[in-house]
Amino acid sequence: MSESDNRIDEVASTYVPARNADHASGILFWLTIPFSLAVLFPDAFSDNVNSVLKTVFLCFSVLLAILFLVTKFWLLPTAERLRRKQLLSDAFGVPLTTKSTSKYYNNGFPPSYERLAAHTMENSFFGMELAAKMLIQQRLKTGGYFFVWMLVLVVRHENIDVVVWVTQLVFSADVLSHYVSLELLRWNHARTYDELHCQFVHKYHKADSAKAIPATLSAFADYECTKARSGILLDSKLFEKENPRLTKEWELICQKLDIPIEPASHVAGISNSTQLTDSGAG
């Protein structure tokens, strides 16, 4: 039996409702688009059909708003709060939650701020790498949307409502906002990783713990705030695909920085749960 077979992560299940709701929002977003377009052309349908189209569009819009609010302000924060408590529990050896993990993090420091620093650096490394991979497809999608938008602007239209509709689609939260949030997520995770990497390179945790402790807490706070601000779940399928490669890279980083390694397979990157998404929206 491999080490990964022995791994336990009781917190992972708390992300399932948020991920399902996010996926449902993505599907509903694309289902709403044809109805929103049809509403712009009332003369093309009978009064009864127009009434049905408007009703369905209204219901879809309300449901989409509810799913977004429930995910952003309840489901995801609940899961992230448990992950944060579990991370601190593991880092300092203090049980802050009944949820437990085994062989989840991949460093061998004893309970201490050094272990917290390594945990945060590991999470940031996986988070920035997965976000960078996700951005390849996201940039192509967003670029395609902007191309269509620019094309619509330069072509003459008798119905300005079509231009407004395309503009609303491109600049919606599911397209532009999602892309910008993912870019900022990657950038901020990279910054946190660089800060902690510098801390281990110069061995601040050994040379001056009085400065290393607040620096570690600051990096941990930045990492958690980045996840909360972006509200993005990292792609679980992409994580499973990239995990072996990223784990090897992380172990090489640990060797160079003299970070002790526990023989465990990493799952921390998905704890951003880490903030995408399988929704397909955007």
Side-chain angles (χ1 to χ4, degrees), residues 72-274:
K72 185 174 181 63
F73 296 108
W74 180 34
L75 298 178
L76 187 55
T78 297
E80 291 290 1
R81 183 165 56 252
L82 286 174
R83 176 65 76 198
R84 184 164 52 251
K85 285 185 176 182
Q86 189 283 321
L87 188 154
L88 291 172
S89 295
D90 186 274
F92 294 105
V94 178
L96 300 177
T97 176
T98 57
K99 301 291 184 180
S100 62
T101 62
S102 176
K103 300 182 180 179
Y104 183 88
Y105 297 104
N106 198 11
N107 77 83
F109 281 120
S112 62
Y113 76 90
E114 293 173 301
R115 186 170 177 83
L116 176 63
H119 283 359
T120 305
M121 182 178 169
E122 185 179 7
N123 284 348
S124 299
F125 170 73
F126 274 73
M128 72 176 183
E129 291 292 334
L130 292 175
K133 284 287 184 179
M134 291 167 60
L135 275 168
I136 296 175
Q137 183 179 17
Q138 195 65 31
R139 286 166 180 162
L140 291 175
K141 283 184 179 181
T142 306
Y145 294 141
F146 268 95
F147 175 78
V148 172
W149 178 61
M150 293 297 296
L151 190 63
V152 170
L153 289 181
V154 299
V155 175
R156 273 190 166 185
H157 286 280
E158 296 181 0
N159 190 349
I160 190 64
D161 290 340
V162 175
V163 178
V164 174
W165 178 80
V166 174
T167 302
Q168 184 180 14
L169 172 63
V170 172
F171 289 90
S172 69
D174 293 88
V175 179
L176 184 61
S177 177
H178 186 90
Y179 163 69
V180 172
S181 295
L182 189 57
E183 286 278 10
L184 291 175
L185 178 69
R186 185 209 62 80
W187 185 83
N188 282 303
H189 278 339
R191 185 181 63 176
T192 300
Y193 170 81
D194 288 341
E195 290 177 358
L196 291 169
H197 187 275
C198 181
Q199 182 173 324
F200 280 107
V201 164
H202 296 287
K203 302 185 184 303
Y204 292 150
H205 57 293
K206 294 182 179 180
D208 192 346
S209 61
K211 293 182 179 179
I213 291 176
T216 296
L217 294 177
S218 176
F220 171 72
D222 285 343
Y223 169 75
E224 292 296 334
C225 287
T226 293
K227 293 196 299 176
R229 186 167 53 245
S230 69
I232 291 180
L233 290 162
L234 292 183
D235 192 334
S236 57
K237 293 181 180 179
L238 179 63
F239 168 76
E240 293 297 334
K241 177 182 177 182
E242 297 293 327
N243 184 41
R245 177 182 66 83
L246 294 177
T247 297
K248 291 180 180 178
E249 291 185 16
W250 169 249
E251 290 175 350
L252 289 175
I253 293 171
C254 289
Q255 291 175 9
K256 292 179 180 179
L257 299 179
D258 294 326
I259 297 176
I261 300 176
E262 289 180 346
S265 179
H266 183 83
V267 190
I270 210 63
S271 72
N272 284 349
S273 315
T274 301

Side-chain angles (χ1 to χ4, degrees), residues 29-102:
F29 171 76
W30 292 110
L31 289 177
T32 304
I33 289 177
F35 288 95
S36 65
L37 180 61
V39 169
L40 298 178
F41 301 95
D43 297 336
F45 308 98
S46 65
D47 291 340
N48 289 335
V49 173
N50 278 324
S51 179
V52 172
L53 290 174
K54 291 179 181 179
T55 301
V56 173
F57 173 63
L58 179 62
C59 292
F60 278 7
S61 298
V62 171
L63 183 57
L64 187 60
I66 292 174
L67 281 173
F68 173 79
L69 293 174
V70 169
T71 301
K72 185 174 181 63
F73 296 108
W74 180 34
L75 298 178
L76 187 55
T78 297
E80 291 290 1
R81 183 165 56 252
L82 286 174
R83 176 65 76 198
R84 184 164 52 251
K85 285 185 176 182
Q86 189 283 321
L87 188 154
L88 291 172
S89 295
D90 186 274
F92 294 105
V94 178
L96 300 177
T97 176
T98 57
K99 301 291 184 180
S100 62
T101 62
S102 176

